[in-house]
């Protein structure tokens, strides 16, 4: 697909920690945001209409061979994507539908498709603009309101039972939990003049999750040769910490894989936004296992900075520079993320840091901007 800003052909966008995508060339968000203006012009209208025609063929021409039918679907998605990048509201909604129902990016996990669908629907139903002015002066106000209501309904339906991986995170997109997010979507339906039955959108996917399991999934992914995380922070109870640090004998447990490439920092918990004392860095398994045996009753914050596995956008020396920045001033940046409660729910990749890097931008400035934007985003929600 092409970036709508710099016209660069995007092979793989920057995949940010919260599910959004950015162009790796100009670093601009390739999703429309809630403050982006809708556009309906001759070009994106034609693209959208043609995409709907191909999707109709996909749905109805069941006698055609499988290869031909999938060409219809591919054409429908590609045309719709072009229209969506040109901010056509109905195309944005349809792209959410494609991701929501698994018609696109089949290799992505259910969580990844769910997250992308969420941001497409959100970009429409929470959009601050009530209409769109076209070249011929039409405002399309009623149509925009109807599309917004439909997106909100679809979003509420998605939130009834999110993928397990999303449910594990607890919080999402700055909301304290998924129930708070669900309520904000239902409120939006009312604000737009829509109606709904409260019982129709009951949250059925709410579960209690063991943060040790969540942390271990992130830890194991540190050794993924294709795309490994760069940074993760977790708050664990004493019992969760002892489980997390338990030797498993599978080659991927924390004591077995801790090294200079996977830096592990641990601090005692003071409360949900602050550490007690300071962070200690562990580089050998014996010290780690011994610490886990006497883990503080208050629990701990665990932070990993990972240079192992695959990193497309940062070289080893840049990852080392990133680790140095995060550790500077008594781990000030890590503490700031904890204060913003960016733990358990968020794992960061080199994509997130590369977004702030330019030719003459130092790692210190890139990291400062990266941390500031994440923490400010949390406040704004």
């Amino acid at each position: 697909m092409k970036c709508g800003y710099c016209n660069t052909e995007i092979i793989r966008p920057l995949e940010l920690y919260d599910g959004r995508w950015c162009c790796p060339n100009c670093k601009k968000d390739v999703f429309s945001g809630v403050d982006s203006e809708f556009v309906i012009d001759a070009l994106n209208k034609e693209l959208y209409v043609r995409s709907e025609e191909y999707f109709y063929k996909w749905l109805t021409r069941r006698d055609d061979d499988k290869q031909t039918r999938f060409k219809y679907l591919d054409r429908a998605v590609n045309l719709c994507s072009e229209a969506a990048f040109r901010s056509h509201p109905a195309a944005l909604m349809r792209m959410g539908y494609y991701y929501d129902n698994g018609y696109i990016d089949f290799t992505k996990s259910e969580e990844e498709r769910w997250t992308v669908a969420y941001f497409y629907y959100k970009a429409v139903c929470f959009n601050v603009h009530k209409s769109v002015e076209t070249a011929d002066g039409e405002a399309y106000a009623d149509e925009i309101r109807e599309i917004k209501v439909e997106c909100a309904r679809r979003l509420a339906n998605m939130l009834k039972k999110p993928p397990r991986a999303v449910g594990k995170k607890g919080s999402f997109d700055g909301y304290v939990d998924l129930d708070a997010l669900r309520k904000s979507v239902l409120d939006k339906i009312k604000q737009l003049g829509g109606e709904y039955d409260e019982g129709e959108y009951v949250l059925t996917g709410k579960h209690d999750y063991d943060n040790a399991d969540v942390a271990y999934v992130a830890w194991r992914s540190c050794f993924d040769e294709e795309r490994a995380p760069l940074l993760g922070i977790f708050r664990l109870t004493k019992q969760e910490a002892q489980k997390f640090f338990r030797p498993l004998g599978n080659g991927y447990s924390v004591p077995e894989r801790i090294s200079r490439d996977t830096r592990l920092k641990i601090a005692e918990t003071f409360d949900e936004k602050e550490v007690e004392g300071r962070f200690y860095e562990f580089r050998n398994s014996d010290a780690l296992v011994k610490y886990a045996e006497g883990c503080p009753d208050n629990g701990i914050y665990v932070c990993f900075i990972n240079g192992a596995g695959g990193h497309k956008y940062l070289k080893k020396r840049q990852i080392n520079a990133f680790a140095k920045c995060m550790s500077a001033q008594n781990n000030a940046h890590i503490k700031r993320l904890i204060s913003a409660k960016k733990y358990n729910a968020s794992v960061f990749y080199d994509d997130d840091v590369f977004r702030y890097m330019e030719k003459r931008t130092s790692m210190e400035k890139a990291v400062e901007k990266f941390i500031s934007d994440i923490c400010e985003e949390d406040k704004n929600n």
Side-chain angles (χ1 to χ4, degrees):
M1 68 178 67
K2 285 188 177 182
C3 173
Y5 295 98
C6 65
N7 210 36
T8 297
E9 189 70 33
I10 301 174
I11 297 174
R12 196 202 96 182
L14 300 181
E15 300 174 51
L16 305 186
Y17 78 98
D18 57 5
R20 290 177 295 127
W21 292 355
C22 283
C23 172
N25 181 51
C26 68
K27 312 295 177 65
K28 291 187 177 181
D29 195 331
V30 294
F31 276 112
S32 293
V34 295
D35 57 349
S36 300
E37 292 188 12
F38 294 128
V39 175
I40 298 178
D41 57 25
L43 176 57
N44 68 14
K45 188 174 182 180
E46 180 185 357
L47 289 167
Y48 176 67
V49 170
R50 287 172 59 202
S51 75
E52 289 292 276
E53 289 173 350
Y54 277 106
F55 187 56
Y56 181 75
K57 288 181 180 180
W58 154 261
L59 291 174
T60 59
R61 294 193 179 179
R62 300 188 178 275
D63 292 335
D64 290 352
D65 62 86
K66 187 176 182 180
Q67 184 177 359
T68 300
R69 290 192 68 234
F70 270 95
K71 284 183 179 179
Y72 296 149
L73 180 60
D74 289 343
R75 191 66 176 142
V77 170
N78 289 335
L79 289 167
C80 189
S81 177
E82 289 187 48
F85 281 136
R86 289 173 170 79
S87 300
H88 191 293
L92 288 165
M93 179 173 69
R94 178 61 85 186
M95 289 299 294
Y97 172 86
Y98 285 147
Y99 277 100
D100 187 12
N101 291 277
Y103 286 119
I104 187 172
D105 281 358
F106 307 107
T107 58
K108 283 188 177 294
S109 68
E110 181 186 11
E111 176 195 6
E112 290 172 320
R113 289 196 302 269
W114 187 96
T115 302
V116 177
Y118 167 85
F119 281 107
Y120 270 116
Y121 287 148
K122 175 188 174 182
V124 179
C125 69
F126 283 95
N127 195 284
V128 298
H129 299 285
K130 297 180 179 180
S131 62
V132 53
E133 189 168 337
T134 62
D136 55 11
E138 291 189 66
Y140 288 97
D142 290 340
E143 291 86 345
I144 294 297
R145 187 191 66 79
E146 290 174 5
I147 291 172
K148 285 185 174 184
V149 170
E150 181 60 26
C151 280
R153 292 187 192 282
R154 294 182 182 185
L155 201 51
N157 195 57
M158 283 176 56
L159 289 163
K160 287 168 61 176
K161 192 170 183 179
R164 180 176 176 80
V166 174
K168 277 185 179 181
K169 294 178 181 179
S171 62
F172 185 79
D173 194 23
Y175 291 88
V176 65
D177 57 36
L178 293 177
D179 194 47
L181 173 53
R182 181 187 67 90
K183 289 177 181 176
S184 74
V185 174
L186 296 180
D187 287 344
K188 178 56 65 175
I189 294 175
K190 283 186 178 179
Q191 291 172 16
L192 293 168
E195 298 180 354
Y196 65 88
D197 179 356
E198 181 70 35
E200 185 181 354
Y201 298 114
V202 173
L203 185 65
T204 59
K206 190 174 182 179
H207 304 284
D208 292 326
Y209 294 105
D210 186 335
N211 285 324
D213 293 336
V214 179
Y216 180 72
V217 169
W219 171 264
R220 180 152 184 163
S221 67
C222 286
F223 311 102
D224 187 317
E225 291 300 324
E226 292 296 322
R227 186 170 185 259
L230 178 67
L231 171 71
I233 305 174
F234 301 90
R235 183 186 177 195
L236 306 177
T237 65
K238 180 177 181 177
Q239 293 72 26
E240 289 171 339
Q242 290 175 336
K243 179 180 178 181
F244 179 59
F245 295 128
R246 186 184 306 151
L248 300 175
N250 66 355
Y252 286 99
S253 66
V254 180
E256 291 173 292
R257 294 302 293 263
I258 188 172
S259 69
R260 295 181 68 87
D261 285 337
T262 50
R263 305 172 189 229
L264 204 64
K265 296 171 177 286
I266 301 174
E268 182 178 352
T269 297
F270 176 74
D271 60 21
E272 63 178 10
K273 289 188 174 184
E274 192 174 345
V275 304
E276 178 71 39
R278 67 186 182 89
F279 274 94
Y280 295 90
E281 188 164 325
F282 290 79
R283 294 191 178 184
N284 72 78
S285 58
D286 291 340
L288 187 60
V289 172
K290 184 177 180 180
Y291 178 87
E293 291 173 352
C295 183
D297 292 336
N298 291 339
I300 59 172
Y301 286 106
V302 179
C303 171
F304 69 73
I305 301 175
N306 177 49
H311 295 276
K312 180 179 176 65
Y313 296 106
L314 297 183
K315 297 176 181 176
K316 184 72 72 176
R317 62 178 175 77
Q318 292 174 310
I319 293 175
N320 290 335
F322 172 80
K324 184 177 180 180
C325 291
M326 294 299 296
S327 303
Q329 300 179 45
N330 195 20
N331 302 283
H333 286 314
I334 297 173
K335 291 178 179 177
R336 190 175 175 189
L337 288 172
I338 289 172
S339 180
K341 299 179 75 172
K342 290 295 182 180
Y343 50 82
N344 295 348
S346 303
V347 176
F348 306 95
Y349 290 77
D350 50 327
D351 306 47
D352 295 295
V353 178
F354 182 76
R355 181 190 180 196
Y356 298 100
M357 295 177 65
E358 303 293 344
K359 288 183 179 179
R360 297 183 181 179
T361 301
S362 67
M363 181 60 74
E364 289 83 359
K365 290 183 179 179
V367 171
E368 177 61 37
K369 182 63 174 171
F370 159 61
I371 298 295
S372 295
D373 276 11
I374 291 168
C375 294
E376 286 303 314
E377 182 179 272
D378 185 73
K379 289 179 182 177
N380 292 335
N381 284 292

